[in-house]
mmCIF file of all heavy atoms in Angstrom:
data_model
loop_
_atom_site.group_PDB
_atom_site.id
_atom_site.type_symbol
_atom_site.label_atom_id
_atom_site.label_comp_id
_atom_site.label_asym_id
_atom_site.label_seq_id
_atom_site.Cartn_x
_atom_site.Cartn_y
_atom_site.Cartn_z
ATOM 1 N N VAL A 1 26.852 -9.582 -21.319
ATOM 2 C CA VAL A 1 26.716 -8.422 -20.402
ATOM 3 C C VAL A 1 27.801 -8.521 -19.313
ATOM 4 O O VAL A 1 28.342 -7.481 -18.971
ATOM 5 C CB VAL A 1 25.308 -8.407 -19.839
ATOM 6 C CG1 VAL A 1 25.162 -7.221 -18.886
ATOM 7 C CG2 VAL A 1 24.295 -8.311 -20.984
ATOM 8 N N TYR A 2 27.989 -9.685 -18.747
ATOM 9 C CA TYR A 2 29.043 -9.918 -17.752
ATOM 10 C C TYR A 2 30.452 -9.421 -18.269
ATOM 11 O O TYR A 2 31.226 -8.818 -17.531
ATOM 12 C CB TYR A 2 29.062 -11.323 -17.330
ATOM 13 C CG TYR A 2 30.146 -11.631 -16.261
ATOM 14 C CD1 TYR A 2 29.973 -11.384 -14.960
ATOM 15 C CD2 TYR A 2 31.437 -12.077 -16.686
ATOM 16 C CE1 TYR A 2 30.936 -11.709 -14.037
ATOM 17 C CE2 TYR A 2 32.411 -12.374 -15.740
ATOM 18 C CZ TYR A 2 32.181 -12.226 -14.407
ATOM 19 O OH TYR A 2 33.170 -12.487 -13.527
ATOM 20 N N SER A 3 30.725 -9.717 -19.520
ATOM 21 C CA SER A 3 32.018 -9.416 -20.066
ATOM 22 C C SER A 3 32.356 -7.948 -20.085
ATOM 23 O O SER A 3 33.524 -7.611 -19.959
ATOM 24 C CB SER A 3 32.172 -9.997 -21.499
ATOM 25 O OG SER A 3 32.047 -11.374 -21.521
ATOM 26 N N TYR A 4 31.383 -7.128 -20.260
ATOM 27 C CA TYR A 4 31.665 -5.697 -20.327
ATOM 28 C C TYR A 4 31.189 -4.941 -19.125
ATOM 29 O O TYR A 4 31.595 -3.793 -18.919
ATOM 30 C CB TYR A 4 31.087 -5.105 -21.578
ATOM 31 C CG TYR A 4 29.624 -4.855 -21.661
ATOM 32 C CD1 TYR A 4 29.030 -3.758 -21.076
ATOM 33 C CD2 TYR A 4 28.784 -5.631 -22.445
ATOM 34 C CE1 TYR A 4 27.701 -3.473 -21.138
ATOM 35 C CE2 TYR A 4 27.440 -5.400 -22.494
ATOM 36 C CZ TYR A 4 26.864 -4.320 -21.861
ATOM 37 O OH TYR A 4 25.508 -4.074 -21.893
ATOM 38 N N SER A 5 30.458 -5.452 -18.222
ATOM 39 C CA SER A 5 29.928 -4.697 -17.082
ATOM 40 C C SER A 5 30.152 -5.322 -15.707
ATOM 41 O O SER A 5 29.901 -4.568 -14.746
ATOM 42 C CB SER A 5 28.452 -4.442 -17.276
ATOM 43 O OG SER A 5 27.703 -5.638 -17.118
ATOM 44 N N GLY A 6 30.564 -6.515 -15.631
ATOM 45 C CA GLY A 6 30.639 -7.236 -14.341
ATOM 46 C C GLY A 6 31.429 -6.478 -13.282
ATOM 47 O O GLY A 6 30.901 -6.222 -12.284
ATOM 48 N N ASP A 7 32.697 -6.198 -13.654
ATOM 49 C CA ASP A 7 33.605 -5.600 -12.615
ATOM 50 C C ASP A 7 33.088 -4.236 -12.229
ATOM 51 O O ASP A 7 33.125 -3.968 -11.025
ATOM 52 C CB ASP A 7 35.026 -5.481 -13.211
ATOM 53 C CG ASP A 7 35.648 -6.878 -13.344
ATOM 54 O OD1 ASP A 7 35.143 -7.873 -12.737
ATOM 55 O OD2 ASP A 7 36.602 -7.001 -14.121
ATOM 56 N N ALA A 8 32.751 -3.401 -13.152
ATOM 57 C CA ALA A 8 32.373 -1.981 -12.798
ATOM 58 C C ALA A 8 31.147 -1.991 -11.919
ATOM 59 O O ALA A 8 31.078 -1.222 -10.909
ATOM 60 C CB ALA A 8 32.073 -1.222 -14.080
ATOM 61 N N MET A 9 30.181 -2.818 -12.259
ATOM 62 C CA MET A 9 28.977 -2.744 -11.410
ATOM 63 C C MET A 9 29.190 -3.398 -10.049
ATOM 64 O O MET A 9 28.619 -2.949 -9.036
ATOM 65 C CB MET A 9 27.795 -3.492 -12.135
ATOM 66 C CG MET A 9 27.353 -2.851 -13.485
ATOM 67 S SD MET A 9 27.068 -1.024 -13.313
ATOM 68 C CE MET A 9 25.582 -0.993 -12.235
ATOM 69 N N ARG A 10 30.046 -4.324 -9.961
ATOM 70 C CA ARG A 10 30.399 -4.881 -8.611
ATOM 71 C C ARG A 10 31.164 -3.849 -7.781
ATOM 72 O O ARG A 10 30.931 -3.778 -6.594
ATOM 73 C CB ARG A 10 31.210 -6.191 -8.792
ATOM 74 C CG ARG A 10 30.434 -7.466 -8.990
ATOM 75 C CD ARG A 10 31.181 -8.712 -8.786
ATOM 76 N NE ARG A 10 32.355 -8.777 -9.696
ATOM 77 C CZ ARG A 10 32.260 -9.194 -10.958
ATOM 78 N NH1 ARG A 10 31.091 -9.613 -11.414
ATOM 79 N NH2 ARG A 10 33.271 -9.221 -11.760
ATOM 80 N N ASP A 11 31.976 -3.074 -8.440
ATOM 81 C CA ASP A 11 32.711 -2.032 -7.651
ATOM 82 C C ASP A 11 31.741 -0.917 -7.178
ATOM 83 O O ASP A 11 31.978 -0.337 -6.118
ATOM 84 C CB ASP A 11 33.790 -1.426 -8.581
ATOM 85 C CG ASP A 11 34.957 -2.351 -8.838
ATOM 86 O OD1 ASP A 11 35.044 -3.364 -8.096
ATOM 87 O OD2 ASP A 11 35.678 -2.142 -9.832
ATOM 88 N N LEU A 12 30.710 -0.662 -7.964
ATOM 89 C CA LEU A 12 29.656 0.313 -7.501
ATOM 90 C C LEU A 12 28.820 -0.273 -6.378
ATOM 91 O O LEU A 12 28.314 0.590 -5.489
ATOM 92 C CB LEU A 12 28.815 0.672 -8.697
ATOM 93 C CG LEU A 12 27.615 1.658 -8.449
ATOM 94 C CD1 LEU A 12 28.130 2.987 -8.052
ATOM 95 C CD2 LEU A 12 26.674 1.713 -9.624
ATOM 96 N N ASP A 13 28.712 -1.523 -6.253
ATOM 97 C CA ASP A 13 27.707 -2.159 -5.351
ATOM 98 C C ASP A 13 27.746 -1.662 -3.970
ATOM 99 O O ASP A 13 26.709 -1.333 -3.335
ATOM 100 C CB ASP A 13 27.843 -3.696 -5.437
ATOM 101 C CG ASP A 13 26.596 -4.399 -4.997
ATOM 102 O OD1 ASP A 13 25.565 -4.215 -5.693
ATOM 103 O OD2 ASP A 13 26.633 -5.135 -4.019
ATOM 104 N N PRO A 14 28.887 -1.516 -3.269
ATOM 105 C CA PRO A 14 28.913 -1.054 -1.876
ATOM 106 C C PRO A 14 28.369 0.356 -1.708
ATOM 107 O O PRO A 14 28.015 0.763 -0.553
ATOM 108 C CB PRO A 14 30.423 -1.113 -1.511
ATOM 109 C CG PRO A 14 31.065 -2.005 -2.446
ATOM 110 C CD PRO A 14 30.265 -1.846 -3.762
ATOM 111 N N TYR A 15 28.337 1.139 -2.788
ATOM 112 C CA TYR A 15 27.934 2.542 -2.693
ATOM 113 C C TYR A 15 26.416 2.716 -2.973
ATOM 114 O O TYR A 15 25.904 3.797 -2.706
ATOM 115 C CB TYR A 15 28.702 3.353 -3.707
ATOM 116 C CG TYR A 15 30.171 3.385 -3.407
ATOM 117 C CD1 TYR A 15 31.088 2.419 -3.983
ATOM 118 C CD2 TYR A 15 30.738 4.302 -2.473
ATOM 119 C CE1 TYR A 15 32.359 2.376 -3.672
ATOM 120 C CE2 TYR A 15 32.126 4.287 -2.203
ATOM 121 C CZ TYR A 15 32.888 3.341 -2.825
ATOM 122 O OH TYR A 15 34.278 3.313 -2.569
ATOM 123 N N VAL A 16 25.764 1.625 -3.371
ATOM 124 C CA VAL A 16 24.320 1.760 -3.716
ATOM 125 C C VAL A 16 23.560 0.572 -3.011
ATOM 126 O O VAL A 16 22.884 -0.176 -3.721
ATOM 127 C CB VAL A 16 24.026 1.859 -5.227
ATOM 128 C CG1 VAL A 16 24.335 3.194 -5.698
ATOM 129 C CG2 VAL A 16 24.812 0.764 -5.933
ATOM 130 N N PRO A 17 23.639 0.424 -1.738
ATOM 131 C CA PRO A 17 22.901 -0.692 -1.103
ATOM 132 C C PRO A 17 21.393 -0.447 -1.230
ATOM 133 O O PRO A 17 20.933 0.679 -1.150
ATOM 134 C CB PRO A 17 23.314 -0.620 0.387
ATOM 135 C CG PRO A 17 23.707 0.837 0.525
ATOM 136 C CD PRO A 17 24.371 1.256 -0.744
ATOM 137 N N PHE A 18 20.651 -1.518 -1.469
ATOM 138 C CA PHE A 18 19.226 -1.348 -1.661
ATOM 139 C C PHE A 18 18.602 -0.837 -0.499
ATOM 140 O O PHE A 18 17.554 -0.068 -0.593
ATOM 141 C CB PHE A 18 18.586 -2.717 -2.097
ATOM 142 C CG PHE A 18 17.080 -2.589 -2.321
ATOM 143 C CD1 PHE A 18 16.612 -2.001 -3.460
ATOM 144 C CD2 PHE A 18 16.217 -2.979 -1.446
ATOM 145 C CE1 PHE A 18 15.312 -1.822 -3.747
ATOM 146 C CE2 PHE A 18 14.866 -2.839 -1.603
ATOM 147 C CZ PHE A 18 14.418 -2.255 -2.758
ATOM 148 N N SER A 19 19.099 -1.050 0.739
ATOM 149 C CA SER A 19 18.476 -0.551 1.920
ATOM 150 C C SER A 19 18.339 0.969 1.915
ATOM 151 O O SER A 19 17.376 1.508 2.544
ATOM 152 C CB SER A 19 19.240 -0.964 3.194
ATOM 153 O OG SER A 19 20.609 -0.435 3.052
ATOM 154 N N LYS A 20 19.208 1.618 1.202
ATOM 155 C CA LYS A 20 19.200 3.139 1.155
ATOM 156 C C LYS A 20 18.383 3.681 -0.047
ATOM 157 O O LYS A 20 18.258 4.876 -0.204
ATOM 158 C CB LYS A 20 20.599 3.673 0.990
ATOM 159 C CG LYS A 20 21.561 3.391 2.196
ATOM 160 C CD LYS A 20 21.176 4.073 3.430
ATOM 161 C CE LYS A 20 22.146 3.844 4.559
ATOM 162 N NZ LYS A 20 21.708 4.534 5.813
ATOM 163 N N SER A 21 17.834 2.757 -0.805
ATOM 164 C CA SER A 21 17.175 3.193 -2.102
ATOM 165 C C SER A 21 15.948 4.094 -1.768
ATOM 166 O O SER A 21 15.694 5.085 -2.463
ATOM 167 C CB SER A 21 16.677 2.005 -2.871
ATOM 168 O OG SER A 21 15.802 1.235 -2.211
ATOM 169 N N LEU A 22 15.184 3.727 -0.725
ATOM 170 C CA LEU A 22 13.964 4.552 -0.420
ATOM 171 C C LEU A 22 14.382 5.952 0.017
ATOM 172 O O LEU A 22 13.790 6.944 -0.488
ATOM 173 C CB LEU A 22 13.162 3.844 0.700
ATOM 174 C CG LEU A 22 11.807 4.425 1.032
ATOM 175 C CD1 LEU A 22 10.875 4.228 -0.142
ATOM 176 C CD2 LEU A 22 11.228 3.787 2.309
ATOM 177 N N ARG A 23 15.454 6.024 0.858
ATOM 178 C CA ARG A 23 15.946 7.346 1.237
ATOM 179 C C ARG A 23 16.463 8.174 0.088
ATOM 180 O O ARG A 23 16.223 9.358 -0.030
ATOM 181 C CB ARG A 23 17.033 7.153 2.288
ATOM 182 C CG ARG A 23 17.488 8.400 3.010
ATOM 183 C CD ARG A 23 18.569 8.162 3.996
ATOM 184 N NE ARG A 23 18.122 7.256 5.068
ATOM 185 C CZ ARG A 23 17.455 7.605 6.131
ATOM 186 N NH1 ARG A 23 17.118 8.874 6.331
ATOM 187 N NH2 ARG A 23 17.119 6.657 7.076
ATOM 188 N N ARG A 24 17.229 7.537 -0.839
ATOM 189 C CA ARG A 24 17.711 8.244 -2.038
ATOM 190 C C ARG A 24 16.602 8.798 -2.890
ATOM 191 O O ARG A 24 16.679 9.908 -3.402
ATOM 192 C CB ARG A 24 18.591 7.275 -2.814
ATOM 193 C CG ARG A 24 19.798 6.697 -2.031
ATOM 194 C CD ARG A 24 20.766 7.800 -1.587
ATOM 195 N NE ARG A 24 21.828 7.241 -0.802
ATOM 196 C CZ ARG A 24 22.091 7.490 0.521
ATOM 197 N NH1 ARG A 24 21.269 8.310 1.121
ATOM 198 N NH2 ARG A 24 23.081 6.908 1.030
ATOM 199 N N TRP A 25 15.535 8.013 -3.017
ATOM 200 C CA TRP A 25 14.390 8.472 -3.805
ATOM 201 C C TRP A 25 13.698 9.639 -3.150
ATOM 202 O O TRP A 25 13.402 10.672 -3.795
ATOM 203 C CB TRP A 25 13.350 7.236 -3.937
ATOM 204 C CG TRP A 25 12.050 7.654 -4.441
ATOM 205 C CD1 TRP A 25 11.815 8.227 -5.706
ATOM 206 C CD2 TRP A 25 10.766 7.565 -3.874
ATOM 207 N NE1 TRP A 25 10.434 8.418 -5.849
ATOM 208 C CE2 TRP A 25 9.779 8.074 -4.722
ATOM 209 C CE3 TRP A 25 10.366 7.131 -2.623
ATOM 210 C CZ2 TRP A 25 8.407 8.087 -4.410
ATOM 211 C CZ3 TRP A 25 9.006 7.167 -2.279
ATOM 212 C CH2 TRP A 25 8.033 7.607 -3.138
ATOM 213 N N VAL A 26 13.400 9.557 -1.845
ATOM 214 C CA VAL A 26 12.812 10.679 -1.082
ATOM 215 C C VAL A 26 13.630 11.907 -1.186
ATOM 216 O O VAL A 26 13.075 12.998 -1.446
ATOM 217 C CB VAL A 26 12.538 10.325 0.395
ATOM 218 C CG1 VAL A 26 12.116 11.539 1.171
ATOM 219 C CG2 VAL A 26 11.533 9.165 0.494
ATOM 220 N N GLU A 27 14.965 11.804 -1.013
ATOM 221 C CA GLU A 27 15.794 12.959 -0.992
ATOM 222 C C GLU A 27 15.948 13.581 -2.411
ATOM 223 O O GLU A 27 15.897 14.760 -2.599
ATOM 224 C CB GLU A 27 17.134 12.530 -0.485
ATOM 225 C CG GLU A 27 17.169 12.215 1.028
ATOM 226 C CD GLU A 27 18.551 11.676 1.510
ATOM 227 O OE1 GLU A 27 19.422 11.374 0.663
ATOM 228 O OE2 GLU A 27 18.689 11.610 2.732
ATOM 229 N N SER A 28 16.236 12.707 -3.328
ATOM 230 C CA SER A 28 16.488 13.176 -4.730
ATOM 231 C C SER A 28 15.234 13.818 -5.408
ATOM 232 O O SER A 28 15.331 14.908 -5.915
ATOM 233 C CB SER A 28 16.971 11.960 -5.570
ATOM 234 O OG SER A 28 17.460 12.447 -6.873
ATOM 235 N N PHE A 29 14.132 13.128 -5.224
ATOM 236 C CA PHE A 29 12.893 13.666 -5.800
ATOM 237 C C PHE A 29 12.512 14.927 -5.035
ATOM 238 O O PHE A 29 11.936 15.909 -5.633
ATOM 239 C CB PHE A 29 11.730 12.613 -5.752
ATOM 240 C CG PHE A 29 11.743 11.770 -6.955
ATOM 241 C CD1 PHE A 29 12.878 11.176 -7.429
ATOM 242 C CD2 PHE A 29 10.521 11.381 -7.541
ATOM 243 C CE1 PHE A 29 12.821 10.271 -8.524
ATOM 244 C CE2 PHE A 29 10.492 10.576 -8.687
ATOM 245 C CZ PHE A 29 11.609 10.012 -9.135
ATOM 246 N N GLY A 30 12.685 14.939 -3.629
ATOM 247 C CA GLY A 30 12.383 16.162 -2.942
ATOM 248 C C GLY A 30 13.227 17.330 -3.352
ATOM 249 O O GLY A 30 12.723 18.478 -3.476
ATOM 250 N N ARG A 31 14.466 17.169 -3.635
ATOM 251 C CA ARG A 31 15.321 18.234 -4.079
ATOM 252 C C ARG A 31 14.970 18.646 -5.533
ATOM 253 O O ARG A 31 15.227 19.820 -5.867
ATOM 254 C CB ARG A 31 16.803 17.870 -3.956
ATOM 255 C CG ARG A 31 17.267 17.779 -2.586
ATOM 256 C CD ARG A 31 18.792 17.615 -2.417
ATOM 257 N NE ARG A 31 19.183 17.666 -0.978
ATOM 258 C CZ ARG A 31 19.646 16.596 -0.359
ATOM 259 N NH1 ARG A 31 19.744 15.432 -0.939
ATOM 260 N NH2 ARG A 31 20.043 16.650 1.006
ATOM 261 N N LEU A 32 14.434 17.757 -6.276
ATOM 262 C CA LEU A 32 13.961 18.161 -7.646
ATOM 263 C C LEU A 32 12.661 18.906 -7.542
ATOM 264 O O LEU A 32 12.131 19.399 -8.561
ATOM 265 C CB LEU A 32 13.785 16.921 -8.554
ATOM 266 C CG LEU A 32 15.000 16.217 -8.994
ATOM 267 C CD1 LEU A 32 14.651 14.878 -9.690
ATOM 268 C CD2 LEU A 32 15.822 17.068 -10.078
ATOM 269 N N ASN A 33 12.091 18.967 -6.350
ATOM 270 C CA ASN A 33 10.837 19.714 -6.132
ATOM 271 C C ASN A 33 9.635 18.986 -6.784
ATOM 272 O O ASN A 33 8.779 19.650 -7.371
ATOM 273 C CB ASN A 33 10.926 21.123 -6.597
ATOM 274 C CG ASN A 33 10.089 22.072 -5.781
ATOM 275 O OD1 ASN A 33 9.416 21.694 -4.804
ATOM 276 N ND2 ASN A 33 9.990 23.314 -6.108
ATOM 277 N N ILE A 34 9.695 17.663 -6.840
ATOM 278 C CA ILE A 34 8.563 16.856 -7.367
ATOM 279 C C ILE A 34 7.553 16.709 -6.341
ATOM 280 O O ILE A 34 7.851 16.171 -5.186
ATOM 281 C CB ILE A 34 9.092 15.471 -7.875
ATOM 282 C CG1 ILE A 34 9.927 15.712 -9.142
ATOM 283 C CG2 ILE A 34 7.991 14.582 -8.224
ATOM 284 C CD1 ILE A 34 10.586 14.446 -9.737
ATOM 285 N N ASP A 35 6.326 17.100 -6.589
ATOM 286 C CA ASP A 35 5.233 17.180 -5.601
ATOM 287 C C ASP A 35 4.160 16.119 -6.050
ATOM 288 O O ASP A 35 3.749 16.176 -7.171
ATOM 289 C CB ASP A 35 4.685 18.495 -5.508
ATOM 290 C CG ASP A 35 3.644 18.714 -4.435
ATOM 291 O OD1 ASP A 35 2.652 17.944 -4.396
ATOM 292 O OD2 ASP A 35 3.776 19.639 -3.619
ATOM 293 N N TYR A 36 3.794 15.221 -5.187
ATOM 294 C CA TYR A 36 2.805 14.179 -5.509
ATOM 295 C C TYR A 36 1.381 14.631 -5.308
ATOM 296 O O TYR A 36 0.451 13.788 -5.381
ATOM 297 C CB TYR A 36 3.102 12.916 -4.806
ATOM 298 C CG TYR A 36 4.225 12.102 -5.411
ATOM 299 C CD1 TYR A 36 5.544 12.370 -5.083
ATOM 300 C CD2 TYR A 36 4.001 11.114 -6.351
ATOM 301 C CE1 TYR A 36 6.604 11.698 -5.620
ATOM 302 C CE2 TYR A 36 5.031 10.406 -6.929
ATOM 303 C CZ TYR A 36 6.323 10.685 -6.599
ATOM 304 O OH TYR A 36 7.412 10.006 -7.124
ATOM 305 N N SER A 37 1.171 15.883 -4.978
ATOM 306 C CA SER A 37 -0.249 16.449 -4.917
ATOM 307 C C SER A 37 -1.140 15.671 -3.997
ATOM 308 O O SER A 37 -2.322 15.442 -4.357
ATOM 309 C CB SER A 37 -0.858 16.646 -6.328
ATOM 310 O OG SER A 37 -0.064 17.440 -7.121
ATOM 311 N N GLY A 38 -0.632 15.254 -2.887
ATOM 312 C CA GLY A 38 -1.515 14.547 -1.902
ATOM 313 C C GLY A 38 -1.823 13.141 -2.147
ATOM 314 O O GLY A 38 -2.717 12.549 -1.551
#
């Protein structure tokens, strides 16, 4: 897996910090109009 994906995923890493994951979920699901019905 490292042989074919290591460099590409490391280059992506600064753009997808885990700290922002919750915000990305809230924003992305919100724009998809996904409603959790309370």
